[in-house]
mmCIF file of all heavy atoms in Angstrom:
data_model
loop_
_atom_site.group_PDB
_atom_site.id
_atom_site.type_symbol
_atom_site.label_atom_id
_atom_site.label_comp_id
_atom_site.label_asym_id
_atom_site.label_seq_id
_atom_site.Cartn_x
_atom_site.Cartn_y
_atom_site.Cartn_z
ATOM 1 N N SER A 33 -61.169 37.443 -63.579
ATOM 2 C CA SER A 33 -61.671 38.778 -63.450
ATOM 3 C C SER A 33 -62.699 38.999 -62.381
ATOM 4 O O SER A 33 -62.616 39.850 -61.622
ATOM 5 C CB SER A 33 -62.344 39.029 -64.857
ATOM 6 O OG SER A 33 -63.173 40.243 -64.760
ATOM 7 N N ILE A 34 -63.641 38.064 -62.240
ATOM 8 C CA ILE A 34 -64.619 38.130 -61.199
ATOM 9 C C ILE A 34 -63.967 38.084 -59.781
ATOM 10 O O ILE A 34 -64.441 38.644 -58.851
ATOM 11 C CB ILE A 34 -65.901 37.270 -61.307
ATOM 12 C CG1 ILE A 34 -65.521 35.806 -61.208
ATOM 13 C CG2 ILE A 34 -66.627 37.565 -62.538
ATOM 14 C CD1 ILE A 34 -66.669 34.781 -61.091
ATOM 15 N N MET A 35 -62.918 37.248 -59.691
ATOM 16 C CA MET A 35 -62.153 37.235 -58.367
ATOM 17 C C MET A 35 -61.404 38.460 -58.147
ATOM 18 O O MET A 35 -61.304 38.940 -56.988
ATOM 19 C CB MET A 35 -61.202 35.978 -58.371
ATOM 20 C CG MET A 35 -62.044 34.725 -58.210
ATOM 21 S SD MET A 35 -60.968 33.338 -57.724
ATOM 22 C CE MET A 35 -60.009 33.038 -59.150
ATOM 23 N N GLN A 36 -60.867 39.101 -59.141
ATOM 24 C CA GLN A 36 -60.062 40.292 -58.945
ATOM 25 C C GLN A 36 -60.896 41.478 -58.525
ATOM 26 O O GLN A 36 -60.550 42.297 -57.682
ATOM 27 C CB GLN A 36 -59.335 40.766 -60.241
ATOM 28 C CG GLN A 36 -58.291 39.816 -60.814
ATOM 29 C CD GLN A 36 -56.966 39.715 -60.002
ATOM 30 O OE1 GLN A 36 -56.833 40.512 -59.064
ATOM 31 N NE2 GLN A 36 -56.195 38.824 -60.340
ATOM 32 N N THR A 37 -62.129 41.467 -58.986
ATOM 33 C CA THR A 37 -63.144 42.569 -58.695
ATOM 34 C C THR A 37 -64.324 42.087 -57.775
ATOM 35 O O THR A 37 -65.404 42.623 -57.794
ATOM 36 C CB THR A 37 -63.816 43.110 -59.942
ATOM 37 O OG1 THR A 37 -64.386 42.086 -60.657
ATOM 38 C CG2 THR A 37 -62.681 43.706 -60.906
ATOM 39 N N TRP A 38 -63.987 41.096 -56.975
ATOM 40 C CA TRP A 38 -65.057 40.446 -56.184
ATOM 41 C C TRP A 38 -65.831 41.419 -55.365
ATOM 42 O O TRP A 38 -67.061 41.252 -55.212
ATOM 43 C CB TRP A 38 -64.403 39.315 -55.204
ATOM 44 C CG TRP A 38 -63.675 39.874 -54.134
ATOM 45 C CD1 TRP A 38 -62.338 40.032 -54.045
ATOM 46 C CD2 TRP A 38 -64.158 40.236 -52.827
ATOM 47 N NE1 TRP A 38 -61.896 40.543 -52.884
ATOM 48 C CE2 TRP A 38 -63.034 40.685 -52.073
ATOM 49 C CE3 TRP A 38 -65.394 40.298 -52.254
ATOM 50 C CZ2 TRP A 38 -63.213 41.112 -50.724
ATOM 51 C CZ3 TRP A 38 -65.509 40.708 -50.892
ATOM 52 C CH2 TRP A 38 -64.370 41.197 -50.178
ATOM 53 N N PHE A 39 -65.179 42.421 -54.816
ATOM 54 C CA PHE A 39 -65.851 43.389 -53.774
ATOM 55 C C PHE A 39 -66.873 44.187 -54.474
ATOM 56 O O PHE A 39 -67.773 44.694 -53.874
ATOM 57 C CB PHE A 39 -64.747 44.190 -53.084
ATOM 58 C CG PHE A 39 -63.716 44.798 -54.052
ATOM 59 C CD1 PHE A 39 -64.000 45.920 -54.636
ATOM 60 C CD2 PHE A 39 -62.719 44.139 -54.323
ATOM 61 C CE1 PHE A 39 -63.078 46.590 -55.522
ATOM 62 C CE2 PHE A 39 -61.730 44.558 -55.153
ATOM 63 C CZ PHE A 39 -61.897 45.841 -55.774
ATOM 64 N N THR A 40 -66.900 44.259 -55.863
ATOM 65 C CA THR A 40 -67.948 45.049 -56.433
ATOM 66 C C THR A 40 -69.161 44.136 -56.817
ATOM 67 O O THR A 40 -70.239 44.627 -57.170
ATOM 68 C CB THR A 40 -67.528 45.674 -57.823
ATOM 69 O OG1 THR A 40 -67.106 44.572 -58.761
ATOM 70 C CG2 THR A 40 -66.256 46.513 -57.594
ATOM 71 N N LEU A 41 -69.116 42.781 -56.669
ATOM 72 C CA LEU A 41 -70.005 41.838 -57.150
ATOM 73 C C LEU A 41 -70.579 41.005 -55.899
ATOM 74 O O LEU A 41 -71.819 40.768 -56.027
ATOM 75 C CB LEU A 41 -69.427 40.844 -58.127
ATOM 76 C CG LEU A 41 -68.984 41.495 -59.408
ATOM 77 C CD1 LEU A 41 -68.101 40.401 -60.236
ATOM 78 C CD2 LEU A 41 -70.048 41.925 -60.306
ATOM 79 N N PHE A 42 -69.705 40.679 -55.049
ATOM 80 C CA PHE A 42 -70.141 39.772 -54.025
ATOM 81 C C PHE A 42 -69.846 40.190 -52.566
ATOM 82 O O PHE A 42 -68.979 41.004 -52.355
ATOM 83 C CB PHE A 42 -69.330 38.418 -54.204
ATOM 84 C CG PHE A 42 -69.265 37.924 -55.582
ATOM 85 C CD1 PHE A 42 -68.112 37.912 -56.274
ATOM 86 C CD2 PHE A 42 -70.339 37.413 -56.140
ATOM 87 C CE1 PHE A 42 -67.979 37.400 -57.553
ATOM 88 C CE2 PHE A 42 -70.336 36.911 -57.528
ATOM 89 C CZ PHE A 42 -69.122 36.899 -58.166
ATOM 90 N N THR A 43 -70.672 39.602 -51.618
ATOM 91 C CA THR A 43 -70.296 39.898 -50.227
ATOM 92 C C THR A 43 -69.064 38.937 -49.877
ATOM 93 O O THR A 43 -68.890 37.964 -50.624
ATOM 94 C CB THR A 43 -71.495 39.436 -49.332
ATOM 95 O OG1 THR A 43 -71.673 38.020 -49.437
ATOM 96 C CG2 THR A 43 -72.764 40.141 -49.717
ATOM 97 N N PRO A 44 -68.380 39.217 -48.818
ATOM 98 C CA PRO A 44 -67.198 38.348 -48.450
ATOM 99 C C PRO A 44 -67.660 36.895 -48.302
ATOM 100 O O PRO A 44 -66.950 35.951 -48.757
ATOM 101 C CB PRO A 44 -66.832 38.973 -47.107
ATOM 102 C CG PRO A 44 -67.122 40.357 -47.238
ATOM 103 C CD PRO A 44 -68.382 40.396 -47.894
ATOM 104 N N THR A 45 -68.810 36.652 -47.711
ATOM 105 C CA THR A 45 -69.314 35.246 -47.604
ATOM 106 C C THR A 45 -69.535 34.546 -48.768
ATOM 107 O O THR A 45 -69.029 33.432 -49.076
ATOM 108 C CB THR A 45 -70.560 35.232 -46.714
ATOM 109 O OG1 THR A 45 -70.366 36.033 -45.506
ATOM 110 C CG2 THR A 45 -70.903 33.809 -46.327
ATOM 111 N N GLU A 46 -70.175 35.168 -49.697
ATOM 112 C CA GLU A 46 -70.355 34.727 -51.118
ATOM 113 C C GLU A 46 -69.063 34.447 -51.770
ATOM 114 O O GLU A 46 -68.948 33.363 -52.437
ATOM 115 C CB GLU A 46 -71.317 35.747 -51.980
ATOM 116 C CG GLU A 46 -72.665 35.737 -51.468
ATOM 117 C CD GLU A 46 -73.405 36.962 -52.048
ATOM 118 O OE1 GLU A 46 -72.760 37.862 -52.753
ATOM 119 O OE2 GLU A 46 -74.568 37.020 -51.917
ATOM 120 N N ALA A 47 -68.141 35.417 -51.708
ATOM 121 C CA ALA A 47 -66.899 35.260 -52.444
ATOM 122 C C ALA A 47 -66.132 34.066 -51.942
ATOM 123 O O ALA A 47 -65.492 33.350 -52.849
ATOM 124 C CB ALA A 47 -66.107 36.559 -52.271
ATOM 125 N N THR A 48 -66.163 33.843 -50.625
ATOM 126 C CA THR A 48 -65.259 32.642 -50.144
ATOM 127 C C THR A 48 -66.084 31.400 -50.252
ATOM 128 O O THR A 48 -65.461 30.382 -50.782
ATOM 129 C CB THR A 48 -64.906 32.847 -48.600
ATOM 130 O OG1 THR A 48 -66.050 33.201 -47.941
ATOM 131 C CG2 THR A 48 -63.761 33.807 -48.536
ATOM 132 N N SER A 49 -67.314 31.322 -49.846
ATOM 133 C CA SER A 49 -68.086 29.982 -49.838
ATOM 134 C C SER A 49 -68.547 29.513 -51.073
ATOM 135 O O SER A 49 -68.686 28.353 -51.353
ATOM 136 C CB SER A 49 -69.179 30.176 -48.807
ATOM 137 O OG SER A 49 -70.169 31.106 -49.366
ATOM 138 N N ILE A 50 -68.801 30.375 -52.068
ATOM 139 C CA ILE A 50 -69.193 29.953 -53.321
ATOM 140 C C ILE A 50 -68.154 30.199 -54.387
ATOM 141 O O ILE A 50 -67.764 29.267 -55.155
ATOM 142 C CB ILE A 50 -70.632 30.652 -53.714
ATOM 143 C CG1 ILE A 50 -71.581 30.424 -52.726
ATOM 144 C CG2 ILE A 50 -71.010 30.152 -55.221
ATOM 145 C CD1 ILE A 50 -72.908 31.209 -52.892
ATOM 146 N N VAL A 51 -67.697 31.534 -54.714
ATOM 147 C CA VAL A 51 -66.833 31.870 -55.806
ATOM 148 C C VAL A 51 -65.514 31.093 -55.717
ATOM 149 O O VAL A 51 -65.196 30.215 -56.549
ATOM 150 C CB VAL A 51 -66.661 33.309 -55.902
ATOM 151 C CG1 VAL A 51 -65.831 33.591 -57.098
ATOM 152 C CG2 VAL A 51 -67.992 34.037 -55.984
ATOM 153 N N ALA A 52 -64.731 31.439 -54.710
ATOM 154 C CA ALA A 52 -63.388 30.847 -54.548
ATOM 155 C C ALA A 52 -63.411 29.275 -54.364
ATOM 156 O O ALA A 52 -62.594 28.680 -54.939
ATOM 157 C CB ALA A 52 -62.619 31.447 -53.304
ATOM 158 N N THR A 53 -64.392 28.838 -53.670
ATOM 159 C CA THR A 53 -64.489 27.374 -53.505
ATOM 160 C C THR A 53 -64.675 26.608 -54.799
ATOM 161 O O THR A 53 -64.130 25.548 -55.010
ATOM 162 C CB THR A 53 -65.702 26.969 -52.564
ATOM 163 O OG1 THR A 53 -65.393 27.890 -51.315
ATOM 164 C CG2 THR A 53 -65.621 25.559 -52.067
ATOM 165 N N THR A 54 -65.630 27.237 -55.626
ATOM 166 C CA THR A 54 -65.902 26.610 -56.928
ATOM 167 C C THR A 54 -64.652 26.668 -57.829
ATOM 168 O O THR A 54 -64.301 25.635 -58.516
ATOM 169 C CB THR A 54 -67.096 27.356 -57.579
ATOM 170 O OG1 THR A 54 -68.208 27.393 -56.783
ATOM 171 C CG2 THR A 54 -67.474 26.704 -58.937
ATOM 172 N N VAL A 55 -63.955 27.767 -57.838
ATOM 173 C CA VAL A 55 -62.816 27.985 -58.692
ATOM 174 C C VAL A 55 -61.656 26.908 -58.390
ATOM 175 O O VAL A 55 -60.990 26.462 -59.176
ATOM 176 C CB VAL A 55 -62.198 29.484 -58.485
ATOM 177 C CG1 VAL A 55 -60.868 29.594 -59.119
ATOM 178 C CG2 VAL A 55 -63.238 30.412 -59.187
ATOM 179 N N MET A 56 -61.572 26.751 -57.031
ATOM 180 C CA MET A 56 -60.479 25.727 -56.509
ATOM 181 C C MET A 56 -60.909 24.289 -56.737
ATOM 182 O O MET A 56 -60.142 23.432 -56.472
ATOM 183 C CB MET A 56 -60.165 26.025 -55.172
ATOM 184 C CG MET A 56 -59.579 27.496 -54.832
ATOM 185 S SD MET A 56 -57.908 27.635 -55.120
ATOM 186 C CE MET A 56 -57.194 27.087 -53.652
ATOM 187 N N SER A 57 -62.157 23.982 -57.049
ATOM 188 C CA SER A 57 -62.620 22.598 -57.104
ATOM 189 C C SER A 57 -61.936 21.876 -58.275
ATOM 190 O O SER A 57 -61.667 22.444 -59.309
ATOM 191 C CB SER A 57 -64.150 22.548 -57.148
ATOM 192 O OG SER A 57 -64.554 23.020 -58.502
ATOM 193 N N ASN A 58 -61.839 20.537 -58.089
ATOM 194 C CA ASN A 58 -61.321 19.748 -59.192
ATOM 195 C C ASN A 58 -62.126 19.776 -60.522
ATOM 196 O O ASN A 58 -61.486 19.704 -61.488
ATOM 197 C CB ASN A 58 -61.067 18.241 -58.709
ATOM 198 C CG ASN A 58 -59.977 18.144 -57.743
ATOM 199 O OD1 ASN A 58 -58.929 18.744 -57.871
ATOM 200 N ND2 ASN A 58 -60.072 17.184 -56.919
ATOM 201 N N SER A 59 -63.425 19.821 -60.322
ATOM 202 C CA SER A 59 -64.192 19.689 -61.418
ATOM 203 C C SER A 59 -64.012 20.985 -62.454
ATOM 204 O O SER A 59 -64.010 20.870 -63.597
ATOM 205 C CB SER A 59 -65.704 19.806 -61.114
ATOM 206 O OG SER A 59 -66.006 20.862 -60.263
ATOM 207 N N THR A 60 -63.702 22.099 -61.758
ATOM 208 C CA THR A 60 -63.433 23.393 -62.576
ATOM 209 C C THR A 60 -62.151 23.155 -63.278
ATOM 210 O O THR A 60 -61.969 23.513 -64.458
ATOM 211 C CB THR A 60 -63.322 24.598 -61.691
ATOM 212 O OG1 THR A 60 -64.526 24.789 -60.973
ATOM 213 C CG2 THR A 60 -63.090 25.925 -62.421
ATOM 214 N N ILE A 61 -61.164 22.661 -62.611
ATOM 215 C CA ILE A 61 -59.842 22.385 -63.262
ATOM 216 C C ILE A 61 -59.920 21.428 -64.426
ATOM 217 O O ILE A 61 -59.400 21.728 -65.512
ATOM 218 C CB ILE A 61 -58.713 21.857 -62.182
ATOM 219 C CG1 ILE A 61 -58.430 22.868 -61.112
ATOM 220 C CG2 ILE A 61 -57.486 21.343 -62.870
ATOM 221 C CD1 ILE A 61 -57.843 22.366 -59.907
ATOM 222 N N VAL A 62 -60.681 20.387 -64.281
ATOM 223 C CA VAL A 62 -60.819 19.395 -65.284
ATOM 224 C C VAL A 62 -61.652 20.042 -66.435
ATOM 225 O O VAL A 62 -61.240 19.822 -67.638
ATOM 226 C CB VAL A 62 -61.583 18.210 -64.758
ATOM 227 C CG1 VAL A 62 -61.931 17.121 -65.860
ATOM 228 C CG2 VAL A 62 -60.727 17.408 -63.734
ATOM 229 N N ARG A 63 -62.628 20.684 -66.110
ATOM 230 C CA ARG A 63 -63.546 21.326 -67.137
ATOM 231 C C ARG A 63 -62.807 22.301 -68.033
ATOM 232 O O ARG A 63 -63.026 22.330 -69.245
ATOM 233 C CB ARG A 63 -64.750 22.021 -66.454
ATOM 234 C CG ARG A 63 -65.834 22.578 -67.508
ATOM 235 C CD ARG A 63 -67.014 22.913 -66.784
ATOM 236 N NE ARG A 63 -68.019 23.131 -67.711
ATOM 237 C CZ ARG A 63 -69.409 23.119 -67.307
ATOM 238 N NH1 ARG A 63 -69.729 22.863 -66.044
ATOM 239 N NH2 ARG A 63 -70.345 23.330 -68.253
ATOM 240 N N LEU A 64 -61.885 23.041 -67.492
ATOM 241 C CA LEU A 64 -61.214 24.128 -68.219
ATOM 242 C C LEU A 64 -59.833 23.642 -68.883
ATOM 243 O O LEU A 64 -59.238 24.376 -69.547
ATOM 244 C CB LEU A 64 -60.861 25.269 -67.344
ATOM 245 C CG LEU A 64 -62.075 26.114 -66.869
ATOM 246 C CD1 LEU A 64 -61.654 27.120 -65.850
ATOM 247 C CD2 LEU A 64 -62.768 26.749 -68.040
ATOM 248 N N HIS A 65 -59.562 22.347 -68.560
ATOM 249 C CA HIS A 65 -58.246 21.791 -69.113
ATOM 250 C C HIS A 65 -57.069 22.649 -68.667
ATOM 251 O O HIS A 65 -56.288 23.040 -69.653
ATOM 252 C CB HIS A 65 -58.297 21.520 -70.690
ATOM 253 C CG HIS A 65 -59.478 20.826 -71.053
ATOM 254 N ND1 HIS A 65 -59.790 19.407 -70.759
ATOM 255 C CD2 HIS A 65 -60.609 21.159 -71.731
ATOM 256 C CE1 HIS A 65 -60.875 19.028 -71.228
ATOM 257 N NE2 HIS A 65 -61.463 20.108 -71.821
ATOM 258 N N LEU A 66 -56.954 23.084 -67.475
ATOM 259 C CA LEU A 66 -55.982 24.033 -67.153
ATOM 260 C C LEU A 66 -54.551 23.338 -66.938
ATOM 261 O O LEU A 66 -54.465 22.093 -66.496
ATOM 262 C CB LEU A 66 -56.263 24.635 -65.745
ATOM 263 C CG LEU A 66 -57.594 25.441 -65.672
ATOM 264 C CD1 LEU A 66 -57.729 25.972 -64.295
ATOM 265 C CD2 LEU A 66 -57.586 26.533 -66.687
ATOM 266 N N ASP A 67 -53.524 24.015 -67.470
ATOM 267 C CA ASP A 67 -52.254 23.507 -67.115
ATOM 268 C C ASP A 67 -51.739 24.014 -65.768
ATOM 269 O O ASP A 67 -52.398 24.809 -65.257
ATOM 270 C CB ASP A 67 -51.189 23.972 -68.289
ATOM 271 C CG ASP A 67 -51.047 25.527 -68.361
ATOM 272 O OD1 ASP A 67 -51.169 26.283 -67.312
ATOM 273 O OD2 ASP A 67 -50.786 26.047 -69.439
ATOM 274 N N CYS A 68 -50.589 23.503 -65.378
ATOM 275 C CA CYS A 68 -50.093 23.838 -63.901
ATOM 276 C C CYS A 68 -49.980 25.376 -63.777
ATOM 277 O O CYS A 68 -50.399 25.900 -62.711
ATOM 278 C CB CYS A 68 -48.722 23.217 -63.694
ATOM 279 S SG CYS A 68 -48.916 21.397 -63.664
ATOM 280 N N HIS A 69 -49.529 26.124 -64.765
ATOM 281 C CA HIS A 69 -49.310 27.526 -64.593
ATOM 282 C C HIS A 69 -50.575 28.209 -64.407
ATOM 283 O O HIS A 69 -50.791 29.076 -63.493
ATOM 284 C CB HIS A 69 -48.573 28.010 -65.861
ATOM 285 C CG HIS A 69 -48.384 29.647 -65.781
ATOM 286 N ND1 HIS A 69 -47.566 30.125 -64.878
ATOM 287 C CD2 HIS A 69 -48.972 30.531 -66.585
ATOM 288 C CE1 HIS A 69 -47.629 31.552 -65.060
ATOM 289 N NE2 HIS A 69 -48.509 31.774 -66.006
#
Side-chain angles (χ1 to χ4, degrees):
S33 167
I34 62 170
M35 285 197 292
Q36 299 284 356
T37 58
W38 72 267
F39 46 88
T40 65
L41 300 167
F42 314 110
T43 66
T45 310
E46 290 166 348
T48 50
S49 66
I50 303 174
V51 183
T53 309
T54 308
V55 169
M56 296 281 271
S57 68
N58 282 330
S59 58
T60 303
I61 293 163
V62 171
R63 185 166 195 160
L64 293 174
H65 309 295
L66 300 180
D67 61 32
C68 291
H69 177 69

